[in-house]
């Protein structure tokens, strides 16, 4: 039994104080209302059997005194907030050392480690374990392992530029059967926990923080860094957006420098939008690295620098056969992301069956008599036709085509057929161009543009890469069957670890911290016992104590009414 | 503290006129009284035949029954019952308890005293007024005649509040006055600190016929009707000043009612055992109506 609001000694002292106070109150008499009566003859007899209800009178009877003392003691115990969980000293303890960017400021990490070591010394080896919570959760010390091993394992560790993995660890505990019946989960560091996660902790688990930190310390940092296709419409250009967050209110000032490919960006290129936002327009999408730095001298340095690798966006080279409808050439020429060439082309556009530009993914036009459906799509990969069709409808802009109008003009259904092949290809009825006015529709240039890019297999690019978050993709014209590197084998999001560099088949890409919670030094929901589910019995006991006190009060009133108690 | 009735309030012609149908009769009054209307043990020249006795010289020759002499040859004279007056002694409680409430009990007590005096004087009985608290006061010696009524009312109106009730002592003191045996009317709340038993014992020693008039208030039987009698109280005896601290609870009230009931039962039992008249007059109600209960047949026989 322990108490949330008072130490055990305080509770006992309080009970003794109450008993003494009640005893002293015996010396006090309540103030009576004086009433003159013709005679006190009968009242005196009545008072002899039912003495006046004064405090001394109440306590004159020892059982009555005990009843009052019991009521007061119950209320006092309820105030003390008892926690009637099982013996918490026998609870299994998980010591979670936060190695995330939250604990990287000042000497937070060193304090957390020192506190962890001090606490560890007093815990039985078989009933505790230490978990490192950095970019990945690692078990630093298993149950039963000697604590001396911890020093060596900690030697190479320091707080990382990654968001906390505490919530993931706590979510694991909420899985039935994972957490032991009585678990003390102690967080060493500033890692915040979400309220929803704490609420789902199983009964018997108590969550607490080893060190009290002030919430929301003053700090500034880069909370967002990403690119978008340039608003100017230029295919090979990108707009770069930067957001500074922190307290007090963040502003983009002269202390921020932006370098592109190692060269400082002129201040005239930086457009300050207010609210900590800055914009750089029309950066060349040439794969260079952008680095943003704040010269702030705050406690947390990890969020003062952020890097981003710009995507490379080159025009798709298209080989165009001579005998095609001129509308196709016009559509290609109108798209700045496409270049008509006869050499080194990535995609060919030709009449079906023509020998020109063989061996290339091709957009072909065939007579309706030779092709059952209006659109025949060859796709690579192992996805089913249904999955491929679902992805291709948007990727190729087929959903933008007025299929009903075309079908009405052609007086036959306009359909799509997909099949697996070694080379991607798209075959379309020639008559759609020549007779059914497909070239005159708004969807035609979109179809041509997207079809060419799909056939060229333009890789997805990332508008930003942030530690602890899934990789976002910006492409919309690739079939899901394309091996998307942002998906792992299970189809789950691939989450980046710490800030730094990630390597893929496209080369190295920079990953930034970009965490608003870290920058604003938030502690999240306080890890109070009442929110941790660990005091599962505490609230119940308080309720029962109050109920018992009320019951005794009722009993006292009943006895008093019946004249059984002074 | 409420004031008692003034003479003008007390001497109400309508009230007195309403008493006309009532009469007061003693079964037999003591000897040596004044001629009046009550049956007495005296023999003489009354109108009602009582007995025969042997003639002795000096007897009135007109009383000789010659018919008996003719039959028996001996002289007997008729003796007749003498009608005498009934001495009525009104003993009025003037202790503080009689003056406490509003209206005070003494008001009803004075009306009862005036009513009985009016009835008695109206039938040529003599009426004496005594008042008591801690000591006995002789306010008016026994006198007869209707003309005494105004004087009697004046003396009643002059009664003022005194201190404590000592009925037992007063009755002892009254016994020392060697009054002619008559009707002693005790008008009181009977709240003698000595208790009902002591009062009953003192009354039992009286040589007179007794009529007990108990003056009550509704709050006596049910203290909850009293606006102030709730919660934690210090009850002050208006006569002795003694204080009783208590908390009014259902249990306390029950015990009070039990004690009060026993007190009344003791008085009633005494009246029954000693063939005394007993009437309970509520000080808040009309006195005349309540006296009507006492004079049920128009005549009260004591």
């Amino acid at each position: 039994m322990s108490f949330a609001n008072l130490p055990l000694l305080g509770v006992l002292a309080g009970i003794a104080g109450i008993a003494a106070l009640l005893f002293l109150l015996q010396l006090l008499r309540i103030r009576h209302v004086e009433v003159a009566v013709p005679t006190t003859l009968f009242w005196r007899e009545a008072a002899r059997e039912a003495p006046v209800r004064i405090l001394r009178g109440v306590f004159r009877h020892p059982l009555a005194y005990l009843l009052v003392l019991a009521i007061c003691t119950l209320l006092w115990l309820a105030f003390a907030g008892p926690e009637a969980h099982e013996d918490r000293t026998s609870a299994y303890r998980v010591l979670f050392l936060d190695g995330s960017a939250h604990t990287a400021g000042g000497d937070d990490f060193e304090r957390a480690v020192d506190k962890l070591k001090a606490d560890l010394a007093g815990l039985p080896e078989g009933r505790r374990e230490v978990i490192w919570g950095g970019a990945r959760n690692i078990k630093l010390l298993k149950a039963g392992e000697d604590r001396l091993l911890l020093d060596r394992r900690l030697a190479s560790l320091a707080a990382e530029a990654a968001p906390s993995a505490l919530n993931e660890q706590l979510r694991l505990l909420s899985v039935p059967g994972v957490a032991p019946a009585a678990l003390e989960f102690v967080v060493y560091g500033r890692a915040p926990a979400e309220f929803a996660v704490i609420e789902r902790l199983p009964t018997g688990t108590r969550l607490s923080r080893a060190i009290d930190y002030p919430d929301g310390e003053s700090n500034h940092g880069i909370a967002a860094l990403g690119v978008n296709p340039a608003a100017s419409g230029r295919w090979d250009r990108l707009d770069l957006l930067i957001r500074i967050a922190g307290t007090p209110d963040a502003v983009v000032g002269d202390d921020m420098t932006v370098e592109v490919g190692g060269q400082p960006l002129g201040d005239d290129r930086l457009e300050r939008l207010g609210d900590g936002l800055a914009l750089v327009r029309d950066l060349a999408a040439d794969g260079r690295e952008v680095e943003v730095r704040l010269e702030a001298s705050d406690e947390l340095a990890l969020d003062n620098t952020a890097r981003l690798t710009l995507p490379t966006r080159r025009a798709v080279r298209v080989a165009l056969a001579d005998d095609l409808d001129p509308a196709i050439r016009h559509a290609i020429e109108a798209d700045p992301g496409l270049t008509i060439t006869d050499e080194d082309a990535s995609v060919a556009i030709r009449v079906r069956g023509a020998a020109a530009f063989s061996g290339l993914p091709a957009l072909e036009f065939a007579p309706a008599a030779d092709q059952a459906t209006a659109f025949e799509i060859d796709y690579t990969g192992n996805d089913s036709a249904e999955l491929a069709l679902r992805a291709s409808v948007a990727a190729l802009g087929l959903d933008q085509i007025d299929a009903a109008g075309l079908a009405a003009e052609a007086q036959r259904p306009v359909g799509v057929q997909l099949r697996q092949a070694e080379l991607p290809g798209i075959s379309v009825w020639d008559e759609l161009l020549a007779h059914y006015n497909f070239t005159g529709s708004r969807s035609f240039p979109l179809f041509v543009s997207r079809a060419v890019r799909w056939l060229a297999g333009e890789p997805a690019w990332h508008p930003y890469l942030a530690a602890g978050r899934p990789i976002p993709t910006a492409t919309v014209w690739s079939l899901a069957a394309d091996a998307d590197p942002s998906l792992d084998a299970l189809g789950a999001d691939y989450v980046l670890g710490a800030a730094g560099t990630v390597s893929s088949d496209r080369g190295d890409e920079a990953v930034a911290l970009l965490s608003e919670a870290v920058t604003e030094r938030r502690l999240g929901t306080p890890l109070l016992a009442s929110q941790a589910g660990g005091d599962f019995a505490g609230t119940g006991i308080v309720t029962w104590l109050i109920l018992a006190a009320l019951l005794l009060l009722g009993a006292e009133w009943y006895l008093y009414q019946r004249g059984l108690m002074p | 503290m409420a004031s008692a009735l003034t003479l003008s309030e007390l001497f109400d012609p309508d009230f007195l006129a309403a008493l006309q149908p009532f009469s007061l009769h003693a079964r037999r009054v003591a000897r040596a009284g004044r001629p009046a209307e009550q049956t007495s043990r005296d023999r003489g020249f009354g109108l009602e035949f009582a007995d025969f006795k042997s003639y002795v010289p000096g007897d009135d020759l007109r009383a000789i029954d010659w018919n008996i002499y003719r039959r028996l040859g001996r002289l007997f004279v008729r003796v007749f019952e003498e009608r005498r007056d009934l001495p009525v002694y009104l003993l009025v409680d003037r202790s503080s308890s009689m003056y406490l409430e509003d209206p005070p009990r003494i008001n009803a007590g004075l009306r009862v005293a005036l009513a009985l005096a009016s009835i008695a004087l109206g039938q040529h009985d003599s009426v004496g007024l005594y008042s008591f608290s801690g000591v006995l006061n002789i306010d008016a010696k026994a006198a007869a005649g209707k003309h005494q009524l105004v004087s009697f009312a004046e003396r009643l109106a002059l009664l003022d509040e005194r201190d404590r009730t000592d009925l037992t002592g007063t009755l002892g003191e009254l016994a020392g006055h060697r009054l002619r045996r008559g009707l002693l009317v005790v008008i009181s709340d009977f709240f003698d600190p000595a208790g009902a038993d002591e009062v009953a014992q003192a009354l039992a020693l009286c040589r007179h016929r007794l009529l007990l008039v108990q003056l009550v208030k509704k709050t006596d039987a049910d203290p909850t009707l009293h606006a102030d009698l709730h919660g934690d109280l210090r009850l002050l005896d208006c006569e002795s000043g003694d204080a009783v601290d208590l908390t009014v609870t259902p249990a306390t009230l029950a015990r009070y009612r039990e004690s009060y009931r026993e007190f009344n039962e003791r008085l009633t039992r005494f009246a029954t055992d000693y063939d005394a008249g007993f009437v309970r007059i509520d000080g808040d109600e009309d006195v005349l109506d309540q006296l009507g209960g006492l004079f049920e047949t128009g005549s009260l026989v004591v």
Side-chain angles (χ1 to χ4, degrees):
Chain A
M1 169 78 76
S2 62
F3 297 91
N5 301 330
L6 290 171
L8 181 61
L9 204 60
V11 173
L12 295 177
I15 293 173
I18 288 171
L21 185 66
L22 292 176
F23 183 78
L24 288 174
L25 285 174
Q26 295 180 53
L27 304 177
L28 302 177
R29 297 175 72 90
I30 58 174
R31 182 172 296 179
H32 297 104
V33 177
E34 292 190 350
V35 178
V37 290
T39 181
T40 53
L41 191 64
F42 317 116
W43 288 114
R44 197 174 292 117
E45 287 187 31
R48 205 158 27 235
E49 295 192 14
V52 62
R53 185 176 171 79
I54 55 175
L55 287 171
R56 178 184 290 180
V58 171
F59 298 129
R60 194 177 294 154
H61 200 293
L63 289 178
Y65 172 76
L66 288 177
L67 186 59
V68 174
L69 183 60
I71 292 168
C72 292
T73 303
L74 286 172
L75 294 175
W76 173 252
L77 288 176
F79 168 75
E83 295 171 317
H85 44 67
E86 300 87 351
D87 183 6
R88 302 303 298 189
T89 55
S90 65
Y92 191 82
R93 286 169 192 269
V94 174
L95 313 183
F96 183 87
L97 177 59
D98 180 37
S100 71
H102 291 278
T103 314
D107 61 347
D108 287 349
F109 184 70
E110 288 72 20
R111 284 175 61 202
V113 170
D114 291 345
K115 177 70 173 164
L116 171 72
K117 288 178 179 175
D119 290 353
L120 198 61
L123 297 177
E125 288 182 355
R127 304 286 300 163
R128 54 95 178 108
E129 65 183 46
V130 179
I131 293 178
W132 165 263
R136 294 284 182 271
N137 288 342
I138 305 166
K139 195 165 282 190
L140 273 184
L141 199 63
K142 295 177 185 172
E145 282 189 321
D146 196 302
R147 64 188 171 89
L148 296 176
L149 294 170
L150 186 68
D151 287 340
R152 179 174 294 176
R153 292 172 183 174
L154 274 175
S156 59
L157 293 174
E160 301 173 282
S164 165
L166 174 61
N167 287 317
E168 284 68 36
Q169 187 65 37
L170 295 178
R171 281 193 190 96
L172 275 178
L173 295 178
S174 62
V175 175
V178 171
L183 174 66
E184 289 272 356
F185 193 101
V186 187
V187 178
Y188 294 82
R190 300 179 60 108
E194 294 170 8
F195 179 73
V197 175
I198 295 175
E199 270 205 325
R200 281 201 294 271
L201 283 177
T203 302
T205 298
R206 177 172 161 158
L207 181 63
S208 61
R209 196 184 295 282
I211 302 172
D212 287 332
Y213 297 99
D215 195 8
E217 287 178 334
S218 172
N219 183 58
H220 285 95
I222 301 162
L225 175 66
V227 289
N228 243 7
S232 62
R234 296 176 63 182
W235 171 253
D236 54 348
R237 297 286 166 166
L238 297 163
D239 288 346
L240 177 75
L241 185 74
I242 305 162
R243 189 165 77 83
I244 309 299
T247 52
D249 291 343
V251 292
V252 177
D254 295 336
D255 62 337
M256 188 176 79
T257 57
V258 180
E259 288 184 1
V260 181
Q263 297 300 314
L265 198 69
D267 198 43
D268 55 327
R269 296 287 307 277
L270 200 63
E271 203 175 318
R272 292 175 172 80
L273 304 178
D275 291 335
L277 287 169
L279 183 67
V280 180
R281 295 184 186 275
D282 290 333
L283 271 180
D286 54 4
R288 288 181 298 170
E289 188 173 277
V290 175
E291 181 170 328
V292 180
R293 280 196 308 274
L294 292 178
E295 304 302 331
S297 58
D298 49 26
E299 287 271 298
L300 187 62
L302 288 180
D303 61 348
N304 292 341
T305 304
R307 293 186 298 124
L308 171 72
T309 302
L310 295 172
T312 302
R313 303 188 76 193
R314 296 191 179 92
V316 179
R317 299 169 73 83
V318 182
L320 208 60
D322 294 333
D323 50 354
L324 292 173
D325 191 305
I328 297 173
R329 176 174 289 272
H330 296 326
I332 299 291
E333 286 173 346
D335 189 337
L338 305 179
T339 304
I340 298 173
T341 180
D342 289 341
E343 296 177 358
D344 197 18
S346 303
V347 175
I349 301 178
R350 62 195 175 207
V351 174
R352 188 170 183 177
F357 313 119
S358 60
L360 291 176
L363 169 62
E364 296 177 322
F365 295 92
D370 296 345
Q371 188 171 309
T373 55
F375 296 91
E376 283 187 0
I377 299 170
D378 295 339
Y379 70 96
T380 57
N382 298 320
D383 278 346
S384 65
E386 288 78 14
L387 276 176
L389 174 63
R390 192 181 306 160
S392 65
V393 168
L396 296 176
L398 294 177
D399 52 345
Q400 305 292 322
I401 294 174
D402 181 13
L406 289 175
E409 286 205 40
Q411 295 186 335
R412 57 189 297 189
V414 174
V416 179
Q417 184 181 4
L418 283 95
R419 63 184 173 222
Q420 283 182 315
E422 291 185 359
L423 268 181
I426 301 170
S427 181
V428 185
W429 282 346
D430 196 21
E431 285 80 356
L432 284 180
L433 307 183
H435 303 298
Y436 306 143
N437 199 25
F438 182 34
T439 54
S441 72
R442 287 184 300 176
S443 58
F444 178 69
L446 180 72
F447 168 72
V448 172
S449 178
R450 290 195 173 185
V452 169
R453 286 190 172 83
W454 181 77
L455 289 168
E458 188 201 43
W461 57 275
H462 309 131
Y464 66 89
L465 289 179
R469 288 151 74 178
I471 297 176
T473 53
T475 182
V476 292
W477 40 74
S478 63
L479 287 177
D482 276 357
D484 188 340
S486 68
L487 298 177
D488 66 8
L490 293 174
D493 288 337
Y494 179 83
V495 177
L496 296 165
T501 304
V502 63
S503 297
S504 69
D505 54 351
R506 298 171 211 165
D508 292 343
E509 289 189 79
V511 179
L513 177 58
L514 306 182
S515 169
E516 201 167 318
V518 170
T519 296
E520 295 185 350
R521 309 281 280 163
R522 292 200 294 257
L523 283 172
T525 304
L527 307 187
L528 297 177
S530 60
Q531 293 170 320
D535 65 334
F536 59 97
T539 307
I541 282 198
V542 169
T543 306
W544 282 113
L545 285 173
I546 292 174
L547 279 177
L550 290 175
L551 202 65
L552 289 180
L553 273 174
E556 187 197 17
W557 182 245
Y558 175 78
L559 292 173
Y560 171 64
Q561 288 293 313
R562 296 294 299 268
L564 301 175
M565 200 180 117
Chain B
M1 194 161 291
S3 58
L5 295 173
T6 60
L7 177 61
S8 59
E9 291 169 335
L10 179 62
F11 199 79
D12 180 5
D14 292 337
F15 175 75
L16 295 172
L19 297 169
Q20 290 298 327
F22 299 149
S23 60
L24 187 62
H25 292 289
R27 291 189 185 88
R28 198 167 295 276
V29 298
R31 298 170 189 273
R34 291 186 311 100
E37 297 178 357
Q38 304 288 354
T39 307
S40 76
R41 295 181 188 280
D42 283 348
R43 296 292 181 260
F45 301 99
L47 294 176
E48 297 211 10
F49 169 79
D51 205 353
F52 294 100
K53 76 172 189 97
S54 299
Y55 174 80
V56 293
D59 285 341
D60 187 355
L61 293 177
R62 289 175 296 178
I64 294 173
D65 191 327
W66 296 109
N67 290 329
I68 295 176
Y69 175 77
R70 194 163 46 243
R71 282 201 302 252
L72 301 178
R74 294 177 59 186
L75 287 173
F76 286 88
V77 293
R78 293 192 193 93
V79 290
F80 293 87
E81 191 180 77
E82 289 274 16
R83 291 283 176 151
R84 300 298 184 191
D85 68 325
L86 172 67
V88 177
Y89 308 109
L90 298 172
L91 186 61
V92 180
D93 186 353
R94 58 196 292 194
S95 64
S96 296
S97 61
M98 298 289 288
Y99 292 82
L100 182 67
E101 293 103 339
D102 187 17
R105 298 167 200 247
I106 191 66
N107 287 0
L110 295 178
R111 283 203 171 94
V112 170
L114 183 65
L116 292 175
S118 172
I119 293 167
L121 291 172
Q123 53 194 32
H124 308 294
D125 293 325
S126 59
V127 178
L129 177 61
Y130 300 83
S131 63
F132 74 96
S133 53
V135 294
L136 177 69
N137 293 297
I138 303 171
D139 298 287
K141 287 190 175 179
K146 289 182 181 177
H147 61 282
Q148 297 285 350
L149 186 59
V150 175
S151 162
F152 194 84
E154 286 172 350
R155 291 179 185 278
L156 280 175
L158 286 174
L159 292 181
D160 56 354
E161 180 187 351
R162 297 295 168 87
D163 50 4
R164 61 192 178 83
T165 305
D166 184 9
L167 182 55
T168 54
T170 299
L171 290 171
E173 195 177 344
L174 187 67
H177 283 261
R178 309 292 297 173
L179 298 172
R180 181 177 159 235
R181 291 181 68 178
L183 173 65
L184 177 64
V185 181
V186 184
I187 302 171
S188 171
D189 53 16
F190 295 94
F191 290 155
D192 191 312
D197 287 336
E198 293 292 325
V199 170
Q201 285 176 16
L203 288 169
L205 295 176
C206 282
R207 299 168 52 247
H208 307 281
R209 306 285 298 172
L210 287 171
L211 173 60
L212 308 182
V213 179
Q214 185 189 10
L215 299 172
V216 300
K217 302 282 277 188
K218 289 188 174 59
T219 51
D220 293 343
D222 187 3
T224 56
L225 298 175
H226 195 298
D228 297 331
L229 287 179
H230 58 81
D232 296 306
L233 300 175
R234 169 160 295 156
L235 299 173
L236 297 174
D237 192 307
C238 69
E239 296 181 2
S240 64
D242 291 343
V244 176
D245 292 341
L246 55 71
T247 303
V248 177
T249 65
T252 315
L253 290 172
R255 188 66 196 91
Y256 170 91
R257 291 189 184 105
E258 175 66 16
S259 181
Y260 183 68
R261 187 184 59 77
E262 288 174 359
F263 170 81
N264 283 336
E265 276 185 2
R266 185 70 188 92
L267 286 180
T268 311
R269 193 166 61 246
F270 168 81
T272 307
D273 293 348
Y274 286 85
D275 197 20
F278 182 80
V279 64
R280 189 168 288 139
I281 300 293
D282 190 331
D284 297 320
E285 302 294 334
D286 185 62
V287 169
L288 196 59
D289 291 345
Q290 298 176 84
L291 281 178
L294 183 64
F295 293 87
E296 254 178 339
T297 58
S299 174
L300 173 65
V301 179
V302 295

